[in-house]
Amino acid sequence: LAVPDEISQRTWHANQAPWAVMITLGMLFLMVSQITSNLVAVMLAAFAMVATRCVRMEEVYHSMNWQSLVLIAGMLPLAKALEVTGGSTQLIQVLTEVFSDLGPYAVMSGLFLLTSLLSQFISNTATTVLISPIALGLALDLNYEPAAFMMTVAIAASTAFATPIA
């Protein structure tokens, strides 16, 4: 029985388990109580995991998916450029005009198809970074619930695995 590389290369720090549990509970407490933002809570927990030796920095670097990180870092400026130049606003206005009379299900179906199509050619993470601001703007312009539109994008971006193309 072959063991995947990710599991065979994994190191175990069983003696640090109590620290890991306490840090995780502390992070959850900060998130639930909203003492700080979720990002800050997660970053504090990550720092605490390294500081208490629950995980070593070499393991952190080794486990990073650098391709995805670079791709996201490259897509964020592209999404920002679309926003700053007005490209997102124009696209949202066109989509609002086209879909305004069709109802929320039709709009979300179109958004789902667009996101799913894009995720066939670029990564699902990059697709989400590009389409999310458009979906949010579209939902707000049409006075629909933004959370439903954002979930549509998240689910549609994950459909790349459903076809043999991607």
Side-chain angles (χ1 to χ4, degrees), residues 5 20 22 27 44 62 80 84 90 112 115-116 140 148 154 161:
D5 286 341
M22 287 191 307
M27 177 190 71
L44 287 172
H62 183 71
K80 185 68 174 174
V84 170
Q90 282 186 318
F112 187 95
T115 306
S116 184
L140 295 174
F161 303 111

Side-chain angles (χ1 to χ4, degrees), residues 116-137:
S116 184
L117 179 69
L118 275 177
S119 70
Q120 299 301 310
F121 302 104
I122 60 177
S123 85
N124 55 353
T125 308
T127 300
T128 304
V129 168
L130 285 175
I131 300 295
S132 291
I134 294 167
L136 181 62

Side-chain angles (χ1 to χ4, degrees), residues 2 19 24 38 40 48 55 58 66 78 88 90 95 98 108 111 121-122 136-137 161:
W19 281 109
T24 302
N38 289 350
V40 171
V55 65
E58 304 85 46
W66 294 104
L78 179 60
S88 294
Q90 282 186 318
L95 292 173
V98 170
M108 285 193 288
L111 196 58
F121 302 104
I122 60 177
L136 181 62
F161 303 111

Side-chain angles (χ1 to χ4, degrees), residues 50-70:
V50 172
T52 58
R53 297 239 186 252
C54 291
V55 65
R56 292 189 185 93
M57 282 306 295
E58 304 85 46
E59 295 167 339
V60 172
Y61 289 128
H62 183 71
S63 67
M64 288 290 296
N65 187 338
W66 294 104
Q67 287 179 318
S68 293
L69 187 64
V70 169

